Amino acid sequence: MPSFDLRRQLEDLRDGNRSVEDLLHFLQDYPYQDLEFARIDHHRPLRTGFPEVVLGRGKTPAQIAKIVESLTGRGYPVLVTKADRAAYAAVAGPTPSAVYHGLAQAIVVPGPEPAACREGVLVMTAGTADLPVAEEAALTAGLMGSPPQRVNDVGVAGLHRLLSVLDDLRRARVIVVVAGMEAALSSVVAGLVAAPVVAVPTSAGYGASFEGLAALLGMLNSCAPGVATVNIDNGFGAGYLAAQMNLMGQQP
Amino acid sequence: MPSFDLRRQLEDLRDGNRSVEDLLHFLQDYPYQDLEFARIDHHRPLRTGFPEVVLGRGKTPAQIAKIVESLTGRGYPVLVTKADRAAYAAVAGPTPSAVYHGLAQAIVVPGPEPAACREGVLVMTAGTADLPVAEEAALTAGLMGSPPQRVNDVGVAGLHRLLSVLDDLRRARVIVVVAGMEAALSSVVAGLVAAPVVAVPTSAGYGASFEGLAALLGMLNSCAPGVATVNIDNGFGAGYLAAQMNLMGQQP
Amino acid sequence: MPSFDLRRQLEDLRDGNRSVEDLLHFLQDYPYQDLEFARIDHHRPLRTGFPEVVLGRGKTPAQIAKIVESLTGRGYPVLVTKADRAAYAAVAGPTPSAVYHGLAQAIVVPGPEPAACREGVLVMTAGTADLPVAEEAALTAGLMGSPPQRVNDVGVAGLHRLLSVLDDLRRARVIVVVAGMEAALSSVVAGLVAAPVVAVPTSAGYGASFEGLAALLGMLNSCAPGVATVNIDNGFGAGYLAAQMNLMGQQP
Amino acid sequence: MPSFDLRRQLEDLRDGNRSVEDLLHFLQDYPYQDLEFARIDHHRPLRTGFPEVVLGRGKTPAQIAKIVESLTGRGYPVLVTKADRAAYAAVAGPTPSAVYHGLAQAIVVPGPEPAACREGVLVMTAGTADLPVAEEAALTAGLMGSPPQRVNDVGVAGLHRLLSVLDDLRRARVIVVVAGMEAALSSVVAGLVAAPVVAVPTSAGYGASFEGLAALLGMLNSCAPGVATVNIDNGFGAGYLAAQMNLMGQQP
Amino acid sequence: MPSFDLRRQLEDLRDGNRSVEDLLHFLQDYPYQDLEFARIDHHRPLRTGFPEVVLGRGKTPAQIAKIVESLTGRGYPVLVTKADRAAYAAVAGPTPSAVYHGLAQAIVVPGPEPAACREGVLVMTAGTADLPVAEEAALTAGLMGSPPQRVNDVGVAGLHRLLSVLDDLRRARVIVVVAGMEAALSSVVAGLVAAPVVAVPTSAGYGASFEGLAALLGMLNSCAPGVATVNIDNGFGAGYLAAQMNLMGQQP
Amino acid sequence: MPSFDLRRQLEDLRDGNRSVEDLLHFLQDYPYQDLEFARIDHHRPLRTGFPEVVLGRGKTPAQIAKIVESLTGRGYPVLVTKADRAAYAAVAGPTPSAVYHGLAQAIVVPGPEPAACREGVLVMTAGTADLPVAEEAALTAGLMGSPPQRVNDVGVAGLHRLLSVLDDLRRARVIVVVAGMEAALSSVVAGLVAAPVVAVPTSAGYGASFEGLAALLGMLNSCAPGVATVNIDNGFGAGYLAAQMNLMGQQP
Amino acid sequence: MPSFDLRRQLEDLRDGNRSVEDLLHFLQDYPYQDLEFARIDHHRPLRTGFPEVVLGRGKTPAQIAKIVESLTGRGYPVLVTKADRAAYAAVAGPTPSAVYHGLAQAIVVPGPEPAACREGVLVMTAGTADLPVAEEAALTAGLMGSPPQRVNDVGVAGLHRLLSVLDDLRRARVIVVVAGMEAALSSVVAGLVAAPVVAVPTSAGYGASFEGLAALLGMLNSCAPGVATVNIDNGFGAGYLAAQMNLMGQQP
Amino acid sequence: MPSFDLRRQLEDLRDGNRSVEDLLHFLQDYPYQDLEFARIDHHRPLRTGFPEVVLGRGKTPAQIAKIVESLTGRGYPVLVTKADRAAYAAVAGPTPSAVYHGLAQAIVVPGPEPAACREGVLVMTAGTADLPVAEEAALTAGLMGSPPQRVNDVGVAGLHRLLSVLDDLRRARVIVVVAGMEAALSSVVAGLVAAPVVAVPTSAGYGASFEGLAALLGMLNSCAPGVATVNIDNGFGAGYLAAQMNLMGQQP
């Protein structure tokens, strides 16, 4: 515990076991250590199973491999999102325990022990083209201890498909809706359940979907309250939020 | 019948009842008369109850009044859309039979006889703020002989409201869906019925609705087929299309 | 008839031929069966020749092949749009009756019997680059029983080309206008005919066409009424709407 | 319990106490009754203090007054957002218990008893111009039983102001960040705390803020995970989501 | 001739009639004098009847009045565009010869003698709402010596109206097309005539016309060559270009 | 002369040399014949050296080859723009006289005799990356009889480069300015010369040039009058307009 | 010096003059104290004459008045930007020394002594409509000790006007260019001088200027290096940057 | 000194050492020479180590090679930005001293002597994907005599990382902030330091980052003053501005 460390070092100084110069040097970094506490505070969930996450896009395979290597072995899993097979090939050398999830386009280095498992998250897609983003969301939530139930291909064009899973929706504590095109699914689901809905617009579609803009605007303008929107194709962000919410009711 | 007119005039020439000069002058306009026929052909439905339509926006009250005056008394109703009360005041002087529809922001000069009436059009709104545009659609369809059934405030946030009118939806031959915000209603309705859906995005909403852009994109990207989109807030266009479709099955 | 089914089962219960538990289990799914009816109701046209449609874009060849396989043999044709040759190669293995339409970029598995054939739809293009989208529209309408007349390359830059087919336009019950760039053709056609116009903006063009945005806005802002717009490059949606409208006048 | 009702009615039929016709009629509405239950299920939180919410914008004062009157007295508070003083004047006649919150531009009709109160929500603003939206969020969360702590004017231009409230941020279970301009505050806060952040972009700013678009894009692209974005200026949606999350850990 | 001047001054220096210092000072300004000539060169057309033009928008009435006063009496007319009646009131005091053109929203101070008059420009509008912009164009062209023929309300929705003026179009040397909404008129006209078309998109329309964006994109993407586009509502720029072109064939 | 034809035929009818039925049939096609004249009228410039132009983009090599083949040998050159080497390879088989202009990405089939040559057009670029579009403009103007003077790389960042060609600019009758990025060159040039400026925005640049949008908006908002803008990268359209204007002063 | 403070306190602990608990409590706040120093460090320039700045837009007059009152009298001037006369009226009561600058729409409460004055900043406008933003920039720079030279109305449409002030431009250490429409001035100026250019796009213009977007993109895409762009209409930000740069060469 | 040259030549004329014709010829180019002076004046910093800069994008390898060859050997370094390895291969033949910087995607031909070196610039990145743009900025600043300190990967999601380099930030005279996604870093840094911040938005990110638009808008709307924004991914422009500013305080 950092606080403990600090107290002990102050006691060391008081007791003559440490010099002022030595402690000054330590405290020169103190704000950062203090914020290191913050970081630890913030990262506490990670130690309980939350992954350290790297966005693969925009990084070279060599950069990704190096970052993954430095993060591996710290007691929690490592997740690289938007990573192609070339990145995985580079990672697998120095980090052979890394696993590639092809559909989600993600690399995972499992943690030392399986994450605690809490039910309550449901990840659903409107169509087959939304699957990669949903996989990313599910993978993330799972690594954070909330392996989700999956419901696929329940777009509003066939409402009966949606209604046939209504019981599952009502049982969920958090629902991640992954949808492209007009993304009406998030509004419809949010109108049917009491749980918060995390809405992920996808770039699935063409023409006036404008690479996900239509879906994004649709989700932001939901006529039903209780919809939390994330970036287009941001499965990771949605899975993270869903797990974060799902853990809120847990006893400390 | 214009063709008849033309034949008769040619016969007149042949029979010496009309001079070459006279007919040349007539035929100088012939292409336009022919296209005037086309206009008549095109406007034939108007004579059977379709209104002559004027877009009020962008015109001064005096201009509107003058246009309405020149159109009145031709045997069919006159419709002015997007017209405020000042326009109506200017119109009512020279054309006292004009009526103002406040909610639809429209001026109507009724035709000499009530339009024929064919059931089959249903105009529905997602919310109360969509009413003015729906009124414009309903007014237009009514003037064209298809006075619509009205269903209001059935947004997808409360799906049960929508499902409670499912029978009405299934009976309709054409459905006009008027919705702002994310406009998910058109996708859901098109997925529930076999009839074509005319989708009217409205500028209802705020923020990232961007004056109806979100609704427009949502309707254009409908995951259900059978959705025909018109311009934002274009109730007139929707009512026109709906009546046009509704009359398609009629015996000639 | 599903209602009949339901009545019979209730009578079975009343008459002791079915248990309460048995019927409860049946009715547990009833809303979905009811909506299954809806689905059947909605899909009724499909059984009369309407295709089951799959959007190929965003799906892997393997996914498409699996979906097509599961849809084939149900008594109606299967249509996959926006599908490349790789998708077709994957489909052709398990479903050898599949046919690839290269220009339309579509895969079709023909139904057991040819669709009923009703004239009345006309599909026209403004230019050669609009052909693939028009092919998709024509293919769709044809599979739905309305094989369209085709008129190509009649952009408004040479108005005489358009006017030379005016008789064909006037005879059509529904006209699909496929145009990129400024897409003025839909306004001009809608001003010439009494039939509804289904307008398909295409991404043909460059620069400030912004991948079809200019065409889309042009069609939405048509100064002539009677224009129903669909998504950019959405030939399928246009063909579907056109066939839907064309069938409206049919006797039940 | 609806299932119970259903079983009893089936037993009635089996036992001859109900006719087939009677039950057929009941079952005809069954999906809607089921969804009516759904509505109740969905609205259950409302009965526990969640307000019935009306978006004032786009509705006339008379419409708002009528809607409020019909909602009042059902056992829970009524909230009208984006309502000006003219709307309040219209409401106050038939509903004298209505209260106007000028800064939040909201009308509230209090429920019969004060909402249960659960701490944990914190609503913060980046600047003074964000206050009205924050007020709307706070009012909503309060009506839903989560009256929030308020922290104002802690924009990132003066980071020390933010850090001086770090303890408050760390104690919160959900943080609502209300910010316009570049809206960097949500990223910074989400990087400092473990709680989920509900981000509300506002239209505060000018020029290239494009009425909140810059803030919206900034929040959607947060480099820190755990950020749930709602529509521009949508204080209500944020307060609703925050209360929803805050209640997740409650014992049933 | 500046070169002559320069030679003479160099000779003066050589001959001892001018000092090095004196000539250095002259040459220090030489580029600007040269460009002052350029200014005269550029403004030569103005002296032959081209107006000095002031954009009224964004200037206060007092600023406009002062600018007009300083420009008046220089031998050519003065034109203020986008000016309201308040600006005119301010101008009329110091410059009583100023005239207000209400429809064009322009102030004109006539020059000392009527401009030379050359036929050949035709200004046409698609609809009544385009009139103010067309008036601005016509006024500008007239002040520059090319008073235009006017053709109004010939939108493509009624093609016969356009064809009825085909002879006028064919006689024109330059055609200014003023159109809002989808602005298809410029493409159609450019396809019918050999003369260049100056296309002015207007902000007439609503919804997805996005304040003239649809018209602008439509005109830029014209499928017919020979279309020169100017800014939205820029009647002045169109009239200026048209007069410029119309004068090109004139003998020097 | 069609009018003459018409008069003669009417006289034939009057004189009994032609039947009513016969003339009715002729008149049925009259508008199209009249517009066929129009087509000839419109295409007259083409016969005097204007090329028949095909936009290569969006067409397959086979389509282009077939179109070129059908256009070749009609007495005027054929121009295919935005065509790659694959298109040229397909064209060169059936049309071996075709020439490929690699920089302009254009295929030209020369006409039977060299075009008449009229000086007066000047095509200038702001930078090297604008060259392909400028080449397209120059090629087009040349084929239309106005082979242009070329001035390259005179962007406003080095104003002296521009001023060093001022004499050339002042001598030109029409100036085509080809510029990407902020495209300030068109405003500066239009402020220096009396000739009309045809402005071609290019997609040269990156980032916030948004594929030429910045250049397009810059040219449309020119503070100097006399700027005619065409589509982004539309060298053809600019060359066409420039030649059209350059020929305006020619004796008929 | 905080480090000094820290050393002394550590020595106190070592020497038994301070308890571990006491120092722990101090260190708990240490980062914020450190950042409080940071604030002072950051605000040091303010104490030397930099104003405390309030953005008036989005705040009520009462809020502005209260903020100004609390900032007044701290030894430096107070500046409120984008403030109308109503805001000034509210401010003038509690703070009678406040002065309203109507053109700049700014309120200034002068500091106790005139700011130090360093020449070197030049603020120039392209047109009269850019004056208010330029005034805001000049006012800001002046309050920060760099009262600027002013050059107005030197748009690139009349390049000689610009070149006639070239000497002034070359003498300046920093140039603020304020321009709307296509904003070409910043590129041209940056190409002529060695000093950095702060570019302020303004919303002056209409149509496709899109409220300053055209000017913003133009400035961002400057083909000349050395251009620093700020937000549309952000005169304050430009004046601030210019003064900041101008002070860089000063001796401490 | 050019002025000196001019004086000397005038003296030569006066003294009979030069003919009028000779000097006339010289002065014919004088404005350009004068502006050549301007160029020299503007390029003076280049002679002291500023590179001549070529934008590689949009140019062919052959064009780049030719330009570099013509610029090399003039006494200062040459920099080609946005250049790929193919361009380098073409350059390296005629200019073997060229060096390729792979991460920055830049080609450098070193000048004859190392640039003077002035500390004060700091280039920082928010994330690894921003490195290429930062490299371009650093390379540029270095070539201009201000080799920057580098600080990487200090995004605001981990504020402690930023605060740990606060001393470095405070010591810098100019800070270049390179950031994609929401680009909050520039606001936070500008709020912490007194130095001007040059903000470079990058296209790093995905979805609603819209290729850097989100970052660009974020930086333009910074709530902290003192932020100068350049084009998306414009590392060169940022490095240039930073070096320009850094040299401002230097003794002449």
Side-chain angles (χ1 to χ4, degrees), chain C residues 222-247:
Chain C
S222 172
C223 56
V227 177
T229 306
V230 297
N231 190 10
I232 297 164
D233 289 338
N234 188 6
F236 158 66
Y240 188 99
L241 259 179
Q244 223 177 359
M245 292 180 195
N246 193 38
L247 295 176

Side-chain angles (χ1 to χ4, degrees), chain F residues 2-188:
Chain F
S3 299
F4 188 75
D5 280 352
L6 183 56
R7 175 188 296 270
R8 189 160 41 189
Q9 295 189 56
L10 290 176
E11 291 169 349
D12 284 352
L13 172 65
R14 182 196 56 188
D15 302 341
N17 298 328
R18 199 158 186 179
S19 72
V20 163
E21 288 313 310
D22 195 37
L23 205 50
L24 255 183
H25 189 261
F26 167 80
L27 287 168
Q28 182 178 356
D29 286 336
Y30 182 75
Y32 322 126
Q33 281 199 333
D34 191 9
L35 283 157
E36 186 69 15
F37 298 160
R39 186 171 62 113
I40 289 169
D41 215 56
H42 170 53
H43 284 187
R44 188 171 2 114
L46 296 191
R47 290 194 317 268
T48 62
F50 279 41
E52 182 81 20
V53 182
V54 181
L55 173 62
R57 186 175 305 192
K59 299 193 179 71
T60 65
Q63 287 172 332
I64 295 173
K66 201 167 166 187
I67 293 172
V68 168
E69 192 180 2
S70 77
L71 291 174
T72 296
R74 298 192 164 197
Y76 44 81
V78 179
L79 170 63
V80 186
T81 62
K82 317 280 183 209
D84 55 20
R85 291 197 172 274
Y88 174 64
V91 165
T95 313
S97 60
V99 179
Y100 190 62
H101 296 251
L103 188 50
Q105 291 202 297
I107 301 166
V108 174
V109 187
E113 44 193 294
C117 180
R118 182 172 165 90
E119 291 195 345
V121 174
L122 184 150
V123 174
M124 68 194 301
T125 59
T128 304
D130 303 316
L131 267 179
V133 176
E135 282 297 311
E136 187 183 294
L139 198 59
T140 302
L143 286 171
M144 289 171 71
S146 292
Q149 183 182 358
R150 298 295 306 278
V151 176
N152 282 326
D153 204 19
V154 287
V156 299
L159 206 56
H160 57 286
R161 295 184 298 180
L162 173 61
L163 296 181
S164 73
V165 294
L166 198 51
D167 284 350
D168 293 312
L169 299 183
R170 294 245 163 90
R171 268 193 301 268
R173 290 166 47 86
V174 189
I175 299 174
V176 175
V177 172
V178 184
M181 304 177 91
E182 90 281 52
L185 186 59
S186 55
S187 293
V188 172

Side-chain angles (χ1 to χ4, degrees), chain C residues 103 128-129 131 157 160 163-164 166-167 181 205-210, chain F residues 32 35-36 39 55 57-59 63 67 82 213 216 231-234:
Chain C
L103 188 49
T128 304
L131 269 179
H160 56 284
L163 296 181
S164 73
L166 198 50
D167 283 351
M181 303 176 93
Y206 62 89
S209 84
F210 294 128
Chain F
Y32 322 126
L35 283 157
E36 186 69 15
R39 186 171 62 113
L55 173 62
R57 186 175 305 192
K59 299 193 179 71
Q63 287 172 332
I67 293 172
K82 317 280 183 209
L213 177 62
L216 172 62
N231 191 10
I232 297 164
D233 289 339
N234 188 6

